Amino acid sequence: MTEGSNQNIIPINIEDEMRGAYIDYSMSVIISRALPDVRDGLKPVHRRVLFGMLELGVNYNKPYKKSARIVGEVLGKYHPHGDSSVYDTMVRMAQPWSLRYPLVDGQGNFGSIDGDSPAAMRYTEARLKRIAEELLVDINKETVDFQFNFDDSLKEPVVMPGKLPNLLLNGASGIAVGMATNMPPHNLSEVADGINAYIDNRDITIPELMQYITAPDFPTGATIYGYTGVKNAFETGRGRVVLRAKANFEQTKTGRDQIIITEIPYMVNKANMIEKIAQLVNEKKLEGISAIRDESDRQGLRIVFDLKMDAIPNIVLNNLYKYSQLQSSFGVNNVALVKGRPMTLNLKDMIRHYVEHRHEVVVRRTQYELNEAEKRAHILEGYLIALDNLDEVISLIRSARDPEVARTGLMEKFELSEIQAKAILEMRLQRLTGMEREKIINEYNEVKALIDKLNEILSNETLRMQIIKDEVSELKDRYGDERRTNIEYDAEDFSMEDMIPNEEMVVTISNQGYIKRTPLAEYKTQGRGGVGSRGVATKTDDYTEHIFVASTHNYLLIFTDFGRLYWIKAYEIPEGSKTSKGRPIQNLINIEKDDSVRAVIQTASLTDEDYVSNNFLVMCTEKGVIKKTTLQAYARPRSNGINAININEGDRLLEVKLTNGNNHIVIASKSGRAVHFHESDVRPMGRTATGVRGINLSSADDKVVGMVSVSEEESNLLVVSEKGYGKRSKVEEYRITKRGGKGVKAMNITEKTGELVAIKEVVDTDDLLIINRSGVLIRISVEGLRVMGRATQGVKLIKLNESDIISSVEKIAKIEGEEDEVNVDNEAPTPDTDTTEEENN
């Protein structure tokens, strides 16, 4: 290289060069490729495809043309990039599952919601949809600016006139450099109402606009689950909209449950989704599904999930929502170009920019029409002058040597403009007839009236806004339709509870610590004295010790013999049939090996501050010690449990009750005595305190069998003996004494009755679940037991074998409409009226 050639080399900093080049590239991507214009909602490639189709004449009422012809037109004239980018753009604008309001009318294979590719462009045909022409209407009336194409040989529009509010209707998505956009589609009818409301009141708030435009409206339907994300998106331009597939339950002729999906979330590939669900089923991550079929056809989408016999449809569906794309989210990010600059827009911003653009288009269109009308009026004025001086005009034209002389002569003699003179020379002879003259006069009057109207529009903004409103209302009348996407306003991001239906369950815990839950409906009411139905399959040396009813969403506070407390949600307990054994409770909570469950309290919430601070747990031990502590002390679940009460050696926790601080406490012992005192006799203590004496037991062998917290005045106390005898008496028969006394007689204990095993507070609407050590269970109505004296022996509740005894008694609410399964003992039980032994305090 010679020394002189170095004079053309300019040293530059590579950092500056790279920075400049990258910024240029970034701006090119942002402005010319990835982001839509806020005015017409189109990216350059969309705009060029639509304009190319318009120029090619493939309007909605014209024959289809080959896609390859359209692509070639757009490539050759306006979009110097790959043909696939143009064809893919046109294909997407024709897919009804991609655009809420498709802009292209495609004929042939344009792909599918399963992600199938469209046919090659040489096979398919297309034309504009009628609604797309609303974007292009008035484009030839100087309503928008035009710019040169890539080689300066033609001109293309900078933006479309955009009568259709396309950005809101069809949304947009794109990834630029350093930013992205993801705008959801909306319903035309709602958007039209929202635009009109904005025009009527420019100070309208976004919440007020949301009364018209309620939420995005997706082409594939589905359900918007929760409204918080929609609200955020409308107010800030950013938000997360959760979409759930539309599902319903059906049953086959054989009684098998099915889940039928008829709508899926937007942008979800149906085939891929089904494949992934099948994979989850094979991997046992999704339980309860036996078969999956895609029965979609031309009539619509239909995916069928056949369920196994024991599967609960609601649970399976919620698991499908959790683990598959049957629930997906749409991340709204409303970024669009405003005057060439990317901006994040809220709902009102988008409407405001649309109205401003339409206002400009109306002004420019009106000005264009005014100019054209004035030109026409000018020519018509020339015609009228010529007709008024017809003979002179004809004479002048006949005597002229050539048209140029004739035109000049007309201009000079009648003071006409060159345009008027030229129009007169070009006028056909037939227009000289009397009828034609009248037509010219009428046309002139119409044109003058039009000019006045157009001038009024240009001088009156209210009129211009009314035109915009009328045009938008016309769009609504012509193209408006119903919402496709439903809205579940009150749904929040679903938690584990949403996976489980909230229903009543019978929870059983055996003596050896096996736990399970069973739907309450499995238990049928029987008549008093029946032999019972098989309740629980237990091992020969095991029996059911606890049985109670809980809602699946409740917290269960499980108290053990040693005074420990553990927490568990009812739905976390494994479900089993009435005859199944259940699972060891050690699998669910960290209970010590030689400890066992003693009492269970259920509560709907541990987070309500007012509730936990104004309710108490009252505990009673076998040795008659009682303790009261606020629920708040036990409101923070710990995985390893906590000490709920300090238990003395040789004693164990027996019963725990949830109270409100104003209840009466009744404690009964196996010797048949009960003490009744007000809850206020027991002061609240700390979590680890031991407690105070609740009942004075009659002997070292005596022990407490139960504690009742009486809350209702009309309640009765039910006592049950181990050999199946029971009775109910009024609470008032147990006179109030001081805490720590020996109490009064609760039941006349004999060898026939056996010792007392349970005491319960009951009302007529309660049912009793009684279970014995051999596992037989009976459910009877309390209403069938008459109220009798406190010291009586009672009546026989359940027929027992000689070696069998009752192990547990639980009261439950009576179920409306349940059939009774009556199995009455042959020998009708009669009450024992022995009341010789009076109360003894």
Side-chain angles (χ1 to χ4, degrees):
M1 187 180 289
T2 63
E3 191 175 333
S5 63
N6 288 337
Q7 293 173 358
N8 296 325
I9 297 174
I10 305 166
I12 58 168
N13 187 321
I14 191 169
E15 289 182 18
D16 295 338
E17 179 64 17
M18 289 183 70
R19 185 181 294 113
Y22 193 70
I23 288 172
D24 289 344
Y25 164 71
S26 302
M27 291 309 294
S28 171
V29 172
I30 290 167
I31 294 168
S32 304
R33 192 185 307 175
L35 300 185
D37 193 296
V38 73
R39 296 169 290 181
D40 59 5
L42 299 172
K43 300 177 191 176
V45 64
H46 296 96
R47 198 174 295 119
R48 286 164 177 168
V49 169
L50 293 174
F51 185 64
M53 292 177 78
L54 180 72
E55 290 286 283
L56 203 55
V58 282
N59 299 67
Y60 77 95
N61 51 1
K62 300 285 176 61
Y64 293 92
K65 271 194 168 61
K66 279 284 183 200
S67 298
R69 174 90 184 274
I70 297 166
V71 171
E73 176 87 1
V74 175
L75 277 185
K77 289 184 175 180
Y78 310 113
H79 197 70
H81 300 280
D83 57 1
S84 62
S85 66
V86 174
Y87 186 49
D88 290 348
T89 298
M90 192 182 79
V91 163
R92 188 172 183 277
M93 287 197 289
Q95 293 174 337
W97 61 91
S98 294
L99 261 64
R100 180 64 178 83
Y101 297 94
L103 302 174
V104 171
D105 183 4
Q107 183 166 267
N109 172 14
F110 275 74
S112 75
I113 199 168
D114 289 329
D116 299 321
S117 300
M121 66 178 87
R122 60 182 179 273
Y123 299 119
T124 61
E125 297 181 331
R127 64 183 175 188
L128 287 170
K129 283 261 191 187
R130 187 176 184 184
I131 196 169
E133 296 186 21
E134 304 290 355
L135 269 173
L136 304 161
V137 69
D138 298 329
I139 197 168
N140 296 320
K141 291 186 177 180
E142 297 178 2
T143 49
V144 292
D145 293 333
F146 278 70
Q147 64 190 11
F148 282 112
N149 68 343
F150 58 90
D151 64 356
D152 290 356
S153 61
L154 294 164
K155 284 201 164 186
E156 61 176 324
V158 174
V159 68
M160 293 297 184
K163 183 197 291 187
L164 194 74
N166 185 56
L167 187 66
L168 277 162
L169 298 191
N170 281 323
S173 64
I175 300 170
V177 178
M179 63 185 66
T181 185
N182 203 32
M183 307 178 79
H186 296 82
N187 181 273
L188 173 54
S189 301
E190 292 184 355
V191 169
D193 292 340
I195 290 168
N196 288 342
Y198 169 79
I199 291 172
D200 289 337
N201 174 20
R202 305 294 174 81
D203 297 324
I204 193 170
T205 63
I206 291 174
E208 287 170 340
L209 275 173
M210 287 165 65
Q211 293 174 9
Y212 302 96
I213 305 172
T214 51
D217 189 26
F218 296 96
T220 54
T223 299
I224 291 173
Y225 188 71
Y227 202 61
T228 308
V230 174
K231 196 164 176 289
N232 291 340
F234 279 163
E235 289 180 345
T236 68
R238 296 174 68 91
R240 180 173 167 269
V241 178
V242 178
L243 287 167
R244 279 188 163 188
K246 187 177 180 184
N248 53 68
F249 303 134
E250 292 181 8
Q251 273 197 338
T252 62
K253 290 178 182 177
T254 58
R256 281 283 183 98
D257 286 316
Q258 292 180 321
I259 296 173
I260 311 296
I261 304 295
T262 53
E263 294 173 4
I264 61 173
Y266 184 49
M267 303 287 282
V268 169
N269 182 312
K270 174 163 65 71
N272 287 352
M273 178 189 74
I274 293 172
E275 187 181 337
K276 285 173 185 172
I277 291 173
Q279 193 176 334
L280 290 170
V281 171
N282 290 336
E283 293 171 356
K284 308 289 185 190
K285 290 179 181 175
L286 275 176
E287 302 274 340
I289 297 172
S290 60
I292 307 171
R293 288 189 309 283
D294 185 359
E295 298 181 356
S296 305
D297 55 20
R298 288 179 180 272
Q299 274 64 53
L301 185 143
R302 179 180 166 93
I303 304 166
V304 180
F305 295 95
D306 288 331
L307 303 188
K308 295 177 180 175
M309 288 299 288
D310 58 344
I312 300 172
N314 218 35
I315 294 176
V316 175
L317 179 59
N318 281 316
N319 276 311
L320 281 168
Y321 284 144
K322 182 179 181 184
Y323 295 110
S324 79
Q325 284 185 294
L326 286 180
Q327 174 171 308
S328 68
S329 62
F330 186 94
V332 178
N333 186 21
N334 293 336
V335 177
L337 295 173
V338 180
K339 296 177 182 174
R341 295 172 65 91
M343 291 182 66
T344 302
L345 307 164
N346 61 32
L347 178 63
K348 188 176 177 180
D349 290 336
M350 289 190 283
I351 292 174
R352 176 168 55 83
H353 287 299
Y354 166 79
V355 171
E356 286 175 0
H357 176 55
R358 283 306 296 166
H359 181 256
E360 184 186 346
V361 167
V362 169
V363 169
R364 292 179 65 161
R365 181 182 68 195
T366 307
Q367 187 64 57
Y368 173 84
E369 289 174 350
L370 177 63
N371 294 340
E372 292 298 308
E374 286 177 341
K375 285 179 190 174
R376 182 63 182 163
H378 185 60
I379 289 171
L380 291 171
E381 285 170 355
Y383 283 167
L384 290 173
I385 290 170
L387 290 171
D388 288 340
N389 302 280
L390 187 55
D391 293 336
E392 290 178 67
V393 168
I394 292 172
S395 174
L396 191 151
I397 293 171
R398 286 183 66 184
S399 62
R401 188 179 71 252
D402 55 34
E404 191 67 33
V405 174
R407 188 174 76 243
T408 307
L410 286 171
M411 288 168 64
E412 289 173 355
K413 185 162 187 179
F414 299 106
E415 296 181 353
L416 299 173
S417 69
E418 187 176 343
I419 294 170
Q420 288 173 322
K422 190 175 180 183
I424 291 167
L425 287 173
E426 291 172 353
M427 191 164 64
R428 297 171 67 181
L429 286 174
Q430 73 176 32
R431 304 215 68 177
L432 303 179
T433 63
M435 192 175 291
E436 287 294 320
R437 176 189 172 86
E438 191 177 331
K439 282 184 182 177
I440 290 170
I441 292 170
N442 290 340
E443 185 184 353
Y444 179 69
N445 292 333
E446 286 172 10
V447 171
K448 289 297 284 183
L450 177 61
I451 288 170
D452 292 341
K453 180 185 174 186
L454 295 173
N455 276 317
E456 189 183 357
I457 291 170
L458 287 173
S459 62
N460 188 336
E461 187 181 342
T462 306
L463 260 181
R464 297 195 293 272
M465 287 300 168
Q466 188 58 48
I467 289 169
I468 296 171
K469 283 180 64 176
D470 292 343
E471 288 179 350
V472 167
S473 299
E474 184 189 337
L475 288 174
K476 178 184 173 182
D477 295 340
R478 183 175 289 175
Y479 307 105
D481 55 5
E482 294 295 318
R483 278 191 70 86
R484 294 182 191 174
T485 303
N486 302 323
I487 308 165
E488 275 191 40
Y489 287 96
D490 54 351
E492 291 301 326
D493 286 349
F494 74 106
S495 60
M496 192 64 187
E497 271 84 354
D498 295 303
M499 315 280 284
I500 309 293
N502 194 6
E503 56 188 357
E504 298 288 287
M505 289 282 175
V506 175
V507 178
T508 57
I509 306 175
S510 76
N511 176 259
Q512 293 193 359
Y514 286 87
I515 187 170
K516 66 167 185 179
R517 61 185 169 97
T518 308
L520 185 59
E522 281 202 27
Y523 293 89
K524 298 286 187 181
T525 305
Q526 292 185 323
R528 177 179 62 77
V531 296
S533 61
R534 193 75 195 166
V536 182
T538 58
K539 297 191 293 186
T540 53
D541 56 345
D542 196 10
Y543 59 91
T544 299
E545 193 166 13
H546 302 277
I547 184 165
F548 58 91
V549 178
S551 291
T552 45
H553 288 193
N554 283 7
Y555 260 113
L556 303 185
L557 278 60
I558 298 177
F559 295 85
T560 71
D561 281 348
F562 295 173
R564 298 279 293 170
L565 165 62
Y566 302 88
W567 295 262
I568 191 172
K569 283 276 192 176
Y571 64 73
E572 294 174 338
I573 299 168
E575 188 171 343
S577 67
K578 207 163 58 162
T579 55
S580 65
K581 186 173 70 171
R583 279 176 61 189
I585 199 164
Q586 286 88 351
N587 291 1
L588 306 176
I589 58 175
N590 297 323
I591 191 170
E592 292 180 34
K593 193 172 183 181
D594 51 351
D595 201 359
S596 60
V597 174
R598 183 47 46 204
V600 182
I601 294 292
Q602 52 177 312
T603 175
S605 173
L606 291 176
T607 56
D608 186 336
E609 197 64 35
D610 186 54
Y611 179 77
V612 296
S613 58
N614 290 305
N615 283 273
F616 301 87
L617 288 175
V618 176
M619 304 173 207
C620 181
T621 72
E622 272 193 351
K623 295 295 185 184
V625 174
I626 189 171
K627 173 192 162 186
K628 182 168 86 170
T629 307
T630 63
L631 180 58
Q632 192 169 33
Y634 305 101
R636 293 184 179 176
R638 296 185 199 166
S639 57
N640 289 323
I642 59 170
N643 284 323
I645 182 174
N646 183 38
I647 300 291
N648 293 326
E649 192 174 344
D651 199 2
R652 66 172 185 152
L653 183 64
L654 177 76
E655 190 69 86
V656 184
K657 295 292 180 186
L658 185 64
T659 71
N660 59 17
N662 295 312
N663 291 4
H664 288 248
I665 304 296
V666 180
I667 301 174
S669 67
K670 73 174 185 178
S671 59
R673 302 188 71 81
V675 63
H676 176 194
F677 56 89
H678 196 272
E679 186 185 336
S680 58
D681 282 2
V682 187
R683 61 178 178 82
M685 304 173 197
R687 179 168 62 81
T688 56
T690 304
V692 293
R693 177 174 288 182
I695 186 171
N696 189 1
L697 298 175
S698 58
S699 68
D701 294 335
D702 200 7
K703 64 179 182 179
V704 175
V705 295
M707 175 185 71
V708 170
S709 168
V710 182
S711 58
E712 300 180 41
E713 290 182 7
E714 67 271 19
S715 294
N716 299 144
L717 287 183
L718 172 87
V719 288
V720 181
S721 72
E722 63 185 0
K723 292 191 177 178
Y725 283 83
K727 67 180 174 76
R728 61 172 175 150
S729 310
K730 292 181 178 178
V731 174
E732 61 196 39
E733 290 206 17
Y734 295 78
R735 64 183 178 82
I736 297 178
T737 62
K738 286 288 182 183
R739 170 184 60 79
K742 287 190 174 182
V744 297
K745 182 170 284 193
M747 188 180 207
N748 189 23
I749 299 299
T750 64
E751 191 175 333
K752 181 180 174 184
T753 63
E755 294 176 321
L756 210 61
V757 292
I759 180 169
K760 300 288 174 187
E761 174 197 14
V762 294
V763 292
D764 281 352
T765 54
D766 288 333
D767 279 0
L768 291 182
L769 284 175
I770 301 174
I771 197 158
N772 60 32
R773 283 189 181 176
S774 61
V776 174
L777 178 145
I778 189 169
R779 179 168 165 178
I780 66 170
S781 171
V782 169
E783 200 173 11
L785 295 171
R786 67 181 179 86
V787 179
M788 55 184 70
R790 171 175 53 77
T792 56
Q793 178 179 287
V795 296
K796 200 167 192 180
L797 302 179
I798 184 169
K799 184 179 178 182
L800 295 170
N801 295 327
E802 285 188 20
S803 60
D804 209 358
I805 61 171
I806 289 176
S807 71
S808 180
V809 179
E810 179 63 26
K811 67 164 186 174
I812 60 172
K814 190 176 291 183
I815 300 173
E816 291 296 326
E818 187 177 44
E819 291 182 16
D820 287 352
E821 232 177 54
V822 181
N823 190 357
V824 182
D825 186 10
N826 291 330
E827 184 181 339
T830 55
D832 189 321
T833 55
D834 179 12
T835 55
T836 54
E837 192 172 342
E838 293 301 319
E839 66 180 58
N840 179 15
N841 192 10

